[in-house]
Amino acid sequence: MTTDTTASEIELTIGTPAHGGHFVARHEGRVVFVRHALPGERVRARLTEAGDGAKFWRADVVEVLESVPGRVEHFWPEADALRAASRGRLPVGGAEFGHIELPLQRELKAQIFAEQLSRLAKEDRTVTVEPAAEEREDGLHWRTRASFSVAPGGRLAMHAHRSEELIPVQRMPLAVDAVNDLQLWDVDFSGVSRVEVAVPSTGAPLVLLIPAAGAHPKALGRIASALPEGTSIASWDPETSTLNRLRGRTWVQESVLGHDYRVTGAGFWQIHRSAPVTLAQAVLDGLQIQPGEQVADLYAGAGLFTAPLADAAGESGRVLSVEGSPGASRDARKNLFASPQVEILQGRVDKSLAAYEGRLDVVLLDPPRVGAGKDVVRRIDAAAPRTVGYVSCDPASFARDLGYFKDLGWQVDSLRVFDLYPHTHHMESFAVLTRP
């Protein structure tokens, strides 16, 4: 399917960056959120969402009329909005800052993060966005996890932003070389709706196949036989959480700060190759856990932070790991079986905190993108820890939750923001909160 990029086009002068990968412009008094732009540019943009009664419109840049310093040629043709528009198509989503010099990307992210803090948490502070450990100068080849859809005909594709349109792809420049070396673009994935790839720090890659509705049972076997030798392959049914081994392992092994982790199937793990060590070291440096302290690791996953926290607390301390996903909690039990000071609870964080009767000296939380919410914040406050560490992948939900903490008397002791998603609008942060 092609898209008519000449319909509903308007000229705009681009203003400030906004959360979500957009830039703010105005057209006849109406706010327009524009992608693939830069502040100060004059552009021609195609409206993608523009209802008469809408509070704001959305648009994609199709031509730059007046450029500004900092714009560069996009490294990925399929994600280049200008090149896609010239062919009457939409760009692939997921590299929406690829037209911006990397240092300027971080300046813009810092502005966005500071604006969210000021608006949602009434917290005015200067923000600096740090690169990850061992970051490449070009910001490429960092993704150890990649997700692809399957287009009609069985070839790998990716969605355009906020669209059902599929764009075939032949490579993924943000992914580590081991993802591209699999040459999955040459495989016929007919019978599969999605393909997930995980490349661990040690061991074989894992390819996860999500079957399409009504697919022939033999389709998975045919696909598995076409994938490179030495690759682990499994099928995954998201509705039933059923994971079936087709070849090799159904899990990958990761190693961070001297600890080995088993991560099963579609289990969560930081996708930047340097993110686990960057964040784990930031957590240890920021929380300064003392031997004998009682620590809670909330939304703990497979135990990335739990293991080093247990080391710091020592055998005289205690670490409570709380995770809602049964699969991730099972992984945590395997990963932490040699740490008797760790107690693992599988269930909702709010209910687990409500039932917990021990003291807590330190609480660490790493919630999903939606954040923790007011109830969890209140329960953490009720436990009266000396310090709270908050790892976040979304500045808006973090700023909202920070506002809840501030209402209860907490303050920001330190804040670090990391660019763990170069060439996208995403970022990760770690804040240490204390209560005077």
Side-chain angles (χ1 to χ4, degrees), residues 327-409:
S329 192
R330 285 193 295 271
D331 284 345
R333 294 182 189 280
K334 294 179 182 296
N335 296 333
L336 299 159
F337 75 96
S339 300
Q341 68 271 48
V342 175
E343 177 185 358
I344 297 173
L345 296 180
Q346 188 271 309
R348 287 177 44 170
V349 167
D350 54 351
K351 292 184 177 180
S352 297
L353 284 177
Y356 185 71
E357 296 180 352
R359 88 171 195 273
L360 290 175
D361 300 303
V362 178
V363 172
L364 174 70
L365 66 157
D366 181 13
R369 193 170 300 279
V370 295
K374 183 178 292 186
D375 188 39
V376 170
V377 170
R378 286 176 173 172
R379 293 189 186 281
I380 292 172
D381 176 70
R386 68 166 174 83
T387 302
V388 171
Y390 194 133
V391 179
S392 173
C393 61
D394 185 85
S397 60
F398 166 70
R400 180 206 64 203
D401 287 349
L402 176 58
Y404 299 150
F405 275 109
K406 291 182 67 173
D407 289 343
L408 295 170

Side-chain angles (χ1 to χ4, degrees), residues 197-278:
V197 185
V199 174
S201 54
T202 57
L206 172 62
V207 175
L208 209 60
L209 307 175
I210 293 81
H216 194 283
K218 292 184 178 180
L220 297 182
R222 172 185 55 78
I223 294 170
S225 66
L227 296 178
E229 291 292 332
T231 304
S232 293
I233 308 167
S235 65
W236 167 251
D237 185 342
E239 292 187 4
T240 62
S241 297
T242 301
L243 184 68
N244 291 315
R245 185 180 75 88
L246 299 175
R247 188 174 78 198
R249 298 171 170 175
T250 59
W251 50 275
V252 294
Q253 181 172 311
E254 302 287 355
S255 182
V256 183
L257 298 180
H259 291 277
D260 292 329
Y261 301 86
R262 167 180 170 149
V263 183
T264 301
F268 174 78
W269 191 255
Q270 291 287 340
I271 62 174
H272 191 295
R273 56 190 174 84
S274 298
V277 68
T278 298

Side-chain angles (χ1 to χ4, degrees), residues 94-396:
E96 62 276 8
F97 277 7
H99 63 288
I100 307 172
E101 290 181 346
L102 201 55
L104 180 55
Q105 289 183 34
R106 293 178 179 139
E107 291 179 19
L108 295 171
K109 290 182 180 185
Q111 293 176 35
I112 293 165
F113 203 105
E115 188 274 334
Q116 295 292 299
L117 287 178
S118 178
R119 184 170 60 86
L120 298 175
K122 303 299 185 288
E123 176 82 14
D124 294 321
R125 90 174 27 233
T126 300
V127 174
T128 300
V129 176
E130 308 174 37
E134 302 179 6
E135 181 65 84
R136 287 171 49 116
E137 289 186 4
D138 59 9
L140 301 179
H141 304 301
W142 50 266
R143 290 189 70 114
T144 61
R145 270 73 177 157
S147 178
F148 303 97
S149 296
V150 178
R155 300 303 176 182
L156 291 189
M158 297 181 68
H159 282 279
H161 177 67
R162 295 174 66 91
S163 171
E164 293 300 314
E165 181 168 344
L166 287 172
I167 298 99
V169 292
Q170 292 291 323
R171 63 190 179 105
M172 190 358 164
L174 295 182
V176 295
D177 289 338
V179 171
N180 290 296
D181 290 346
L182 292 173
Q183 292 295 309
L184 299 180
W185 352 99
D186 298 333
V187 177
D188 180 359
F189 285 99
S190 298
V192 168
S193 64
R194 204 168 76 248
V195 178
E196 309 276 350
V197 185
V199 174
S201 54
T202 57
L206 172 62
V207 175
L208 209 60
L209 307 175
I210 293 81
H216 194 283
K218 292 184 178 180
L220 297 182
R222 172 185 55 78
I223 294 170
S225 66
L227 296 178
E229 291 292 332
T231 304
S232 293
I233 308 167
S235 65
W236 167 251
D237 185 342
E239 292 187 4
T240 62
S241 297
T242 301
L243 184 68
N244 291 315
R245 185 180 75 88
L246 299 175
R247 188 174 78 198
R249 298 171 170 175
T250 59
W251 50 275
V252 294
Q253 181 172 311
E254 302 287 355
S255 182
V256 183
L257 298 180
H259 291 277
D260 292 329
Y261 301 86
R262 167 180 170 149
V263 183
T264 301
F268 174 78
W269 191 255
Q270 291 287 340
I271 62 174
H272 191 295
R273 56 190 174 84
S274 298
V277 68
T278 298
L279 291 173
Q281 193 61 60
V283 166
L284 289 178
D285 293 344
L287 295 182
Q288 294 292 304
I289 306 296
Q290 301 300 310
E293 286 197 308
Q294 312 286 299
V295 184
D297 184 8
L298 309 180
Y299 313 93
L304 169 61
F305 302 127
T306 313
L309 290 174
D311 287 347
E315 293 187 2
S316 61
R318 186 183 187 189
V319 179
L320 175 69
S321 165
V322 183
E323 169 57 43
S325 165
S329 192
R330 285 193 295 271
D331 284 345
R333 294 182 189 280
K334 294 179 182 296
N335 296 333
L336 299 159
F337 75 96
S339 300
Q341 68 271 48
V342 175
E343 177 185 358
I344 297 173
L345 296 180
Q346 188 271 309
R348 287 177 44 170
V349 167
D350 54 351
K351 292 184 177 180
S352 297
L353 284 177
Y356 185 71
E357 296 180 352
R359 88 171 195 273
L360 290 175
D361 300 303
V362 178
V363 172
L364 174 70
L365 66 157
D366 181 13
R369 193 170 300 279
V370 295
K374 183 178 292 186
D375 188 39
V376 170
V377 170
R378 286 176 173 172
R379 293 189 186 281
I380 292 172
D381 176 70
R386 68 166 174 83
T387 302
V388 171
Y390 194 133
V391 179
S392 173
C393 61
D394 185 85

Side-chain angles (χ1 to χ4, degrees), residues 71-82:
R71 177 176 281 276
V72 296
E73 183 177 357
H74 205 295
F75 61 88
W76 190 5
E78 288 83 355
D80 183 352
L82 303 183

